[in-house]
Amino acid sequence: MLASCSFLPIQSDTDFYGLIIGINDYTYLPPPPKGDLLYCEDDASSIHSSLIENGWKTEELTLLLGSNATKTNINNILIDRINQANENDFIFVFFSGHGCRISDADGDEPDGLDEALVPVDYQPANSSPLITDDELSFIFSACGTEKGIFIIDACHSGGVINKSLAGTNIRVKSIDSITPKGSGGSGDLTITNFPVMTACSQNEYSYETGAFGHGVFSYFLLEGFQNLKADRNKDNYITIRELFNYAENHTETYTSMHAFPTIQHPAMRFPMDLLDILITR
Amino acid sequence: MIKKISILLIIFICCIIPHAIFAENANDVHINASLFSGTSFLHIEGKSFDTKMVPVAGISLSSYFFPRNIFFYGVELAYMYSFKSNYNNYYYYDSYSSLSLLPHLGIHFQTPSLTYFFLLGGGGSISFSRYLSKNYFIASAGAGIYFKKFFIDGLLLSYNHSFFKNFTVFETLKVHAIIHLWRKNQSSSK
């Protein structure tokens, strides 16, 4: 019976690696609402603080904000973390910023488009500084662990795990004070054995709002961490599924009740049945 | 879930009716209840997840038909609760409830001190994880040995191997305390 006691000390040889990215001020994009974003760096900083408050150590986390979040930096640090992690280790990756889509260069996407994260040095006339889902898939293909989470808070981010809600009842209204992130599209991030969580579905925007000073989805992730609010089974740990359930429910409710142009439906691909992974320690 | 439970109950009853029909040609018909507990070994496919042991417990209702030879057959309807695993290495296998229907085929023979029953069975269970809010279908097959002279009406030691997508290891060992609810013994009535 002791095997089920969650209050027993955790025996572990797990090392933790985290990369947290937030970009407001894009070098080559116009100011908000047409280009730059307002609260992504706050999303990233607050996620960083929440993890520290919940047992992570500062040296386990790398925070890349604004001008430091270039494609080179993001890729180098991500590759470094992935190369360091062995099968028992935990990798946490968080991105808050623009997402976009470009024509598929290698013909592997059914919709003819590659999805991409937009680093700070992106130039509208030059797609090379983008980090495409093909590149992310290649980087994660070397990943030694299946334990961790890749969280993407960007418009149309659900497209990277191919969870479309096309045809559902999505209302479109216009509110000037809300800044949609990116222009997105559909596609696949072919990381099949690693959990991926996205702020919205393929055909939706991911919003940030001055009411929270955060992206809506990121805000509810943060609220889930706060005082273990997302701890659904009251075991004093927050797991990937618990955090997603909390943020998903609140994001959908909030965006449906506050006249956002579209409802935001977060999505998650979690390949393992009957299993959950702890984020807090 | 209630609909699925109803379907399993109907199937179970349908399996008992043939017993009643064929009982005239049988030495014995048994309907038993049992309380059981044991251990499950779980191991999901993947390089980051090891085998973890979880306690299980439950109740079952079974009916057995004994033709006039060493063979017998029957069916078992069982409810089992599988507890959550430990959190070592920062992951766990979640608790779940399952409702199983397992047809059995067996042989029985008697020694001076004990009556042995060897059971083989296969079937399926509907499993529900409340926290994960998901239903799963788990197929399983197993074997058991029944020691007639222990506890109330005997002890059954059973082993089950379950087949579930993603899982490389899903083994369950259980000890059942048997209680005879109803017995029809034709040979003793002669």
Side-chain angles (χ1 to χ4, degrees):
Chain A
M1 211 56 83
L2 286 176
S4 66
C5 293
S6 57
F7 54 80
L8 289 175
I10 294 174
Q11 296 173 4
S12 168
D13 50 5
T14 300
D15 292 325
F16 290 80
Y17 301 95
L19 172 60
I20 300 169
I21 305 154
I23 307 165
N24 286 347
D25 189 9
Y26 283 83
T27 311
Y28 301 105
L29 293 183
K34 292 187 175 177
D36 289 339
L37 298 164
L38 294 171
Y39 306 116
C40 295
E41 292 178 19
D42 290 336
D43 293 345
S45 299
S46 299
I47 288 284
H48 181 269
S49 302
S50 288
L51 290 178
I52 300 288
E53 285 163 14
N54 282 284
W56 285 64
K57 295 169 187 160
T58 311
E59 61 269 23
E60 294 166 343
L61 294 166
T62 302
L63 182 62
L64 271 185
L65 297 179
S67 59
N68 290 324
T70 60
K71 175 174 179 173
T72 305
N73 281 350
I74 293 171
N75 279 357
N76 286 346
I77 295 170
L78 187 57
I79 289 167
D80 181 60
R81 296 293 175 271
I82 283 173
N83 287 341
Q84 284 183 67
N86 68 31
E87 61 189 19
N88 284 323
D89 296 340
F90 186 106
I91 295 178
F92 181 96
V93 183
F94 175 86
F95 177 88
S96 180
H98 275 303
C100 74
R101 61 182 180 175
I102 54 173
S103 294
D104 176 22
D106 56 9
D108 66 332
E109 299 278 4
D111 60 359
L113 297 166
D114 272 328
E115 324 304 319
L117 304 181
V118 184
V120 72
D121 50 347
Y122 166 70
Q123 298 174 44
N126 178 8
S127 64
S128 61
L130 293 171
I131 304 171
T132 65
D133 50 9
D134 288 348
E135 289 175 88
L136 289 168
S137 296
F138 179 74
I139 292 169
F140 270 88
S141 67
C143 187
T145 181
E146 293 157 353
K147 205 160 52 182
I149 185 69
F150 184 8
I151 302 174
I152 307 170
D153 187 352
C155 272
H156 304 282
S157 47
V160 302
I161 53 173
N162 205 22
K163 284 213 170 185
S164 172
L165 285 180
T168 56
N169 182 25
I170 296 172
R171 293 178 296 114
V172 179
K173 294 179 182 175
S174 175
I175 295 179
D176 293 334
S177 61
I178 294 168
T179 308
K181 295 173 180 175
S183 53
S186 64
D188 300 291
L189 176 65
T190 53
I191 305 170
T192 53
N193 293 320
F194 195 87
V196 181
M197 190 188 296
T198 65
C200 62
S201 292
Q202 176 173 319
N203 300 319
E204 298 169 357
Y205 288 115
S206 176
Y207 297 105
E208 54 179 17
T209 170
F212 294 150
H214 285 289
V216 175
F217 182 67
S218 292
Y219 174 80
F220 287 115
L221 291 177
L222 293 164
E223 193 176 81
F225 278 121
Q226 198 174 39
N227 299 322
L228 299 177
K229 281 185 183 170
D231 182 18
R232 189 172 165 188
N233 62 359
K234 305 299 178 196
D235 60 0
N236 293 324
Y237 295 102
I238 292 175
T239 64
I240 289 171
R241 290 183 193 269
E242 284 177 328
L243 187 63
F244 177 74
N245 285 341
Y246 185 90
E248 178 194 29
N249 292 337
H250 285 78
T251 300
E252 287 185 12
T253 304
Y254 186 82
T255 54
S256 64
M257 294 179 69
H258 288 80
F260 281 74
T262 58
I263 300 173
Q264 205 174 312
H265 296 87
M268 182 165 76
R269 184 171 63 202
F270 194 94
M272 290 74 78
D273 284 311
L274 281 179
L275 182 141
D276 210 350
I277 301 169
L278 278 58
I279 299 179
T280 59
R281 287 143 73 182
Chain B
M1 188 64 178
I2 290 169
K3 189 177 173 186
K4 288 171 181 169
I5 290 170
S6 306
I7 291 169
L8 284 179
L9 279 170
I10 289 166
I11 293 170
F12 181 73
I13 290 164
C14 290
C15 292
I16 290 177
I17 288 172
H19 287 211
I21 294 170
F22 295 113
E24 288 181 6
N25 298 319
N27 281 335
D28 287 311
V29 177
H30 296 179
I31 293 183
N32 303 331
S34 82
L35 291 171
F36 63 81
S37 66
T39 301
S40 234
F41 297 88
L42 307 178
H43 186 173
I44 198 168
E45 274 181 17
K47 48 198 171 187
S48 298
F49 309 106
D50 295 325
T51 303
K52 290 196 176 186
M53 189 178 74
V54 298
V56 298
I59 54 173
S60 73
L61 194 62
S62 55
S63 63
Y64 291 107
F65 166 66
F66 295 80
R68 292 192 177 89
N69 52 43
I70 64 166
F71 294 100
F72 68 96
Y73 64 86
V75 64
E76 179 189 31
L77 180 68
Y79 167 81
M80 187 181 83
Y81 185 80
S82 174
F83 290 84
K84 196 161 58 174
S85 76
N86 63 40
Y87 286 15
N88 289 348
N89 279 327
Y90 292 92
Y91 69 91
Y92 65 85
Y93 297 109
D94 195 32
S95 60
Y96 66 91
S97 301
S98 72
L99 197 65
S100 313
L101 194 68
L102 297 168
H104 288 156
L105 184 65
I107 57 171
H108 62 111
F109 60 91
Q110 204 152 6
T111 66
S113 57
L114 291 171
T115 301
Y116 294 99
F117 292 76
F118 293 95
L119 300 167
L120 283 172
S125 58
I126 293 164
S127 300
F128 178 69
S129 164
R130 186 172 67 87
Y131 160 59
L132 301 180
S133 301
K134 272 180 96 172
N135 284 313
Y136 302 98
F137 179 77
I138 300 173
S140 61
I145 305 174
Y146 174 54
F147 300 95
K148 194 177 179 181
K149 290 187 177 175
F150 286 95
F151 204 54
I152 303 172
D153 291 313
L155 281 180
L156 173 68
L157 303 181
S158 73
Y159 158 77
N160 267 62
H161 176 78
S162 299
F163 306 90
F164 183 49
K165 59 173 188 176
N166 295 343
F167 273 85
T168 49
V169 175
F170 204 120
E171 321 282 2
T172 308
L173 298 167
K174 292 179 288 190
V175 179
H176 304 242
I178 307 288
I179 305 159
H180 293 313
L181 296 180
W182 181 77
R183 295 183 73 171
K184 178 174 181 178
N185 190 325
Q186 236 181 16
S187 50
S188 63
S189 66
K190 286 180 181 176

